[in-house]
Coordinates of all heavy atoms in Angstrom, one line a residue:
W1 N 4.0 20.4 -47.8 CA 3.9 20.8 -46.4 C 3.6 22.3 -46.2 O 3.0 22.6 -45.3 CB 5.3 20.5 -45.7 CG 5.5 19.0 -45.6 CD1 6.3 18.2 -46.4 CD2 5.0 18.2 -44.7 NE1 6.2 16.9 -46.0 CE2 5.5 16.9 -44.9 CE3 4.2 18.3 -43.6 CZ2 5.2 15.7 -44.1 CZ3 3.9 17.2 -42.7 CH2 4.5 15.9 -43.0
D2 N 4.0 23.1 -47.2 CA 3.8 24.5 -47.0 C 2.5 25.0 -47.7 O 2.1 26.3 -47.7 CB 5.0 25.3 -47.6 CG 6.3 25.0 -46.7 OD1 6.2 24.9 -45.6 OD2 7.3 24.9 -47.4
T3 N 1.8 24.2 -48.3 CA 0.6 24.6 -49.0 C -0.4 25.2 -48.1 O -0.7 24.7 -47.0 CB -0.1 23.4 -49.7 OG1 0.8 22.8 -50.6 CG2 -1.4 23.8 -50.4
D4 N -0.9 26.4 -48.5 CA -1.9 27.2 -47.7 C -3.2 26.9 -48.3 O -3.5 27.1 -49.5 CB -1.5 28.7 -47.8 CG -2.5 29.5 -46.8 OD1 -3.7 29.6 -47.1 OD2 -2.0 30.1 -45.9
L5 N -4.2 26.4 -47.5 CA -5.5 26.1 -48.0 C -6.1 27.2 -48.6 O -6.9 27.0 -49.7 CB -6.4 25.5 -46.9 CG -5.8 24.2 -46.2 CD1 -6.9 23.8 -45.1 CD2 -5.6 23.1 -47.1
I6 N -6.1 28.4 -48.1 CA -6.9 29.5 -48.7 C -6.0 30.2 -49.9 O -6.6 30.3 -51.0 CB -7.1 30.6 -47.6 CG1 -8.1 29.9 -46.6 CG2 -7.8 31.7 -48.3 CD1 -8.2 30.7 -45.3
D7 N -4.8 30.5 -49.7 CA -4.0 31.2 -50.7 C -3.7 30.3 -51.9 O -3.8 30.7 -53.0 CB -2.7 31.7 -50.2 CG -3.0 32.8 -49.2 OD1 -4.1 33.3 -49.1 OD2 -2.0 33.1 -48.3
H8 N -3.4 29.0 -51.6 CA -2.9 28.1 -52.7 C -4.0 27.3 -53.3 O -4.0 26.9 -54.5 CB -1.7 27.1 -52.3 CG -0.6 27.9 -51.8 ND1 0.2 27.6 -50.7 CD2 0.0 29.1 -52.3 CE1 1.1 28.4 -50.5 NE2 1.1 29.4 -51.5
L9 N -5.0 26.9 -52.4 CA -6.0 25.9 -52.9 C -7.4 26.6 -53.0 O -8.3 25.9 -53.5 CB -6.1 24.8 -52.0 CG -4.9 23.8 -51.9 CD1 -5.1 22.7 -50.8 CD2 -4.3 23.3 -53.2
G10 N -7.5 27.9 -52.6 CA -8.8 28.5 -52.7 C -9.9 27.9 -51.9 O -11.1 28.0 -52.3
V11 N -9.6 27.3 -50.7 CA -10.7 26.7 -49.9 C -11.5 27.8 -49.3 O -11.0 28.8 -48.7 CB -10.0 25.9 -48.8 CG1 -11.0 25.3 -47.9 CG2 -9.2 24.6 -49.4
D12 N -12.8 27.7 -49.5 CA -13.7 28.7 -48.9 C -14.3 28.2 -47.7 O -14.0 27.0 -47.2 CB -14.9 29.0 -50.0 CG -15.7 27.9 -50.4 OD1 -15.8 26.9 -49.6 OD2 -16.2 27.9 -51.4
S13 N -15.2 28.9 -47.0 CA -15.7 28.5 -45.8 C -16.6 27.2 -45.8 O -16.4 26.4 -44.9 CB -16.5 29.6 -45.1 OG -17.6 30.0 -46.0
L14 N -17.3 27.0 -46.9 CA -18.1 25.7 -46.9 C -17.1 24.6 -47.0 O -17.3 23.5 -46.5 CB -19.0 25.8 -48.1 CG -20.0 24.7 -48.4 CD1 -20.8 24.4 -47.1 CD2 -20.9 24.8 -49.6
E15 N -16.0 24.8 -48.0 CA -15.1 23.6 -48.1 C -14.4 23.3 -46.9 O -14.0 22.1 -46.6 CB -14.2 23.9 -49.3 CG -14.8 23.9 -50.7 CD -13.9 24.3 -51.7 OE1 -13.1 25.3 -51.7 OE2 -13.9 23.7 -52.8
S16 N -14.1 24.4 -46.1 CA -13.4 24.1 -44.8 C -14.2 23.3 -43.9 O -13.6 22.5 -43.2 CB -12.9 25.5 -44.2 OG -14.0 26.1 -43.6
I17 N -15.5 23.4 -43.9 CA -16.3 22.6 -43.0 C -16.3 21.1 -43.6 O -16.3 20.2 -42.8 CB -17.8 23.1 -42.9 CG1 -17.8 24.5 -42.1 CG2 -18.7 22.2 -42.4 CD1 -19.0 25.3 -42.2
D18 N -16.4 21.1 -44.9 CA -16.4 19.7 -45.6 C -15.1 19.0 -45.2 O -15.0 17.9 -44.9 CB -16.6 19.9 -47.1 CG -18.0 20.2 -47.5 OD1 -18.9 20.1 -46.6 OD2 -18.2 20.6 -48.6
L19 N -14.0 19.8 -45.3 CA -12.6 19.3 -44.9 C -12.6 18.8 -43.5 O -12.1 17.7 -43.2 CB -11.6 20.3 -45.3 CG -10.2 20.0 -44.9 CD1 -9.7 18.7 -45.6 CD2 -9.2 21.0 -45.1
M20 N -13.1 19.6 -42.6 CA -13.1 19.2 -41.2 C -13.9 18.0 -41.0 O -13.4 17.1 -40.3 CB -13.7 20.3 -40.3 CG -13.4 20.1 -38.8 SD -13.9 21.4 -37.8 CE -15.6 21.2 -37.8
N21 N -15.0 17.8 -41.7 CA -15.8 16.6 -41.6 C -15.0 15.4 -42.2 O -15.0 14.3 -41.6 CB -17.1 16.6 -42.3 CG -18.1 17.6 -41.5 OD1 -18.0 17.8 -40.3 ND2 -18.9 18.3 -42.2
A22 N -14.4 15.6 -43.3 CA -13.5 14.5 -43.9 C -12.4 14.1 -43.1 O -12.1 13.0 -43.0 CB -13.1 15.0 -45.3
I23 N -11.8 15.1 -42.4 CA -10.7 14.8 -41.5 C -11.2 13.9 -40.3 O -10.6 13.0 -39.9 CB -10.0 16.0 -41.0 CG1 -9.2 16.6 -42.2 CG2 -9.1 15.8 -39.8 CD1 -8.5 18.0 -41.9
E24 N -12.3 14.4 -39.8 CA -12.9 13.7 -38.7 C -13.2 12.2 -39.1 O -12.9 11.2 -38.2 CB -14.2 14.3 -38.3 CG -14.9 13.8 -37.0 CD -16.1 14.6 -36.6 OE1 -16.5 15.7 -37.2 OE2 -16.6 14.4 -35.4
E25 N -13.8 11.9 -40.2 CA -14.0 10.6 -40.7 C -12.8 9.8 -41.1 O -12.7 8.7 -40.5 CB -14.9 10.7 -42.0 CG -15.4 9.4 -42.5 CD -16.3 9.5 -43.6 OE1 -17.3 10.4 -43.6 OE2 -16.2 8.8 -44.6
E26 N -11.8 10.4 -41.7 CA -10.6 9.7 -42.1 C -9.7 9.3 -40.9 O -9.2 8.3 -40.8 CB -9.8 10.6 -43.1 CG -8.4 10.0 -43.4 CD -8.4 8.8 -44.3 OE1 -9.4 8.5 -45.0 OE2 -7.5 8.0 -44.2
F27 N -9.6 10.2 -40.0 CA -8.6 10.0 -38.8 C -9.3 9.6 -37.5 O -8.7 9.4 -36.6 CB -7.8 11.4 -38.6 CG -6.9 11.6 -39.8 CD1 -7.3 12.5 -40.8 CD2 -5.6 10.9 -40.0 CE1 -6.5 12.7 -41.9 CE2 -4.9 11.2 -41.0 CZ -5.3 12.1 -42.0
Q28 N -10.7 9.6 -37.6 CA -11.4 9.3 -36.4 C -11.0 10.1 -35.2 O -10.7 9.7 -34.0 CB -11.1 7.8 -35.9 CG -11.6 6.8 -37.0 CD -13.1 6.8 -37.4 OE1 -13.9 6.8 -36.5 NE2 -13.4 7.2 -38.6
V29 N -11.0 11.5 -35.4 CA -10.6 12.4 -34.4 C -11.8 13.5 -34.4 O -12.7 13.6 -35.4 CB -9.4 13.2 -34.6 CG1 -8.2 12.2 -34.4 CG2 -9.3 13.8 -36.0
N30 N -12.0 14.3 -33.4 CA -13.0 15.3 -33.3 C -12.4 16.7 -33.2 O -12.1 17.2 -32.1 CB -13.8 15.1 -32.0 CG -14.6 13.8 -32.2 OD1 -15.2 13.5 -33.1 ND2 -14.4 12.9 -31.2
P31 N -12.1 17.3 -34.4 CA -11.5 18.6 -34.3 C -12.4 19.7 -33.9 O -13.7 19.6 -34.1 CB -11.2 18.8 -35.9 CG -11.9 17.9 -36.6 CD -12.3 16.7 -35.7
S32 N -11.9 20.7 -33.2 CA -12.8 21.8 -32.7 C -12.9 22.8 -33.8 O -11.9 23.0 -34.5 CB -12.0 22.5 -31.5 OG -12.2 23.9 -31.5
L33 N -14.0 23.2 -34.2 CA -14.2 24.2 -35.3 C -13.4 25.4 -35.1 O -12.7 25.9 -36.1 CB -15.8 24.6 -35.4 CG -16.1 25.5 -36.6 CD1 -15.8 24.8 -37.8 CD2 -17.5 25.8 -36.5
N34 N -13.3 26.0 -34.0 CA -12.5 27.2 -33.8 C -11.0 26.9 -34.0 O -10.4 27.6 -34.7 CB -12.7 27.8 -32.4 CG -14.1 28.5 -32.3 OD1 -14.7 28.9 -33.2 ND2 -14.5 28.6 -31.0
E35 N -10.6 25.8 -33.5 CA -9.1 25.4 -33.5 C -8.8 25.1 -35.0 O -7.8 25.6 -35.5 CB -8.8 24.3 -32.6 CG -7.4 23.9 -32.5 CD -6.5 24.9 -31.8 OE1 -7.1 25.7 -31.0 OE2 -5.3 24.9 -32.1
A36 N -9.7 24.3 -35.6 CA -9.4 23.9 -37.0 C -9.3 25.1 -37.9 O -8.6 25.1 -38.9 CB -10.5 22.9 -37.4
N37 N -10.2 26.0 -37.7 CA -10.2 27.3 -38.6 C -9.0 28.0 -38.5 O -8.7 28.8 -39.4 CB -11.5 28.1 -38.3 CG -12.7 27.6 -38.9 OD1 -12.7 26.8 -39.8 ND2 -13.9 27.9 -38.3
S38 N -8.2 27.9 -37.4 CA -7.0 28.6 -37.2 C -5.8 27.9 -38.1 O -4.7 28.5 -38.2 CB -6.6 28.8 -35.8 OG -6.2 27.5 -35.2
K39 N -6.0 26.7 -38.5 CA -5.0 26.0 -39.2 C -5.1 26.3 -40.7 O -6.1 25.9 -41.3 CB -5.0 24.5 -38.9 CG -5.2 24.1 -37.4 CD -4.0 24.6 -36.7 CE -4.2 24.2 -35.2 NZ -3.4 25.0 -34.3

């Protein structure tokens, strides 16, 4: 639950976009890029 995407997993900006797309597909939701980047 406390895993930080950047500090613990090393997610970069390209991977964060891929992650947002994967979340959109998996959960059938439409995340806002600005909002998603703050998480």
Side-chain angles (χ1 to χ4, degrees):
W1 291 95
D2 297 321
T3 299
D4 184 295
L5 297 183
I6 297 168
D7 293 343
H8 300 140
L9 301 179
V11 172
D12 62 24
S13 58
L14 183 58
E15 286 175 321
S16 68
I17 292 169
D18 289 343
L19 176 59
M20 193 172 75
N21 290 333
I23 288 171
E24 187 172 3
E25 186 175 312
E26 173 68 23
F27 296 96
Q28 301 299 304
V29 294
N30 295 310
S32 150
L33 183 58
N34 288 337
E35 187 71 23
N37 282 336
S38 70
K39 312 301 182 201

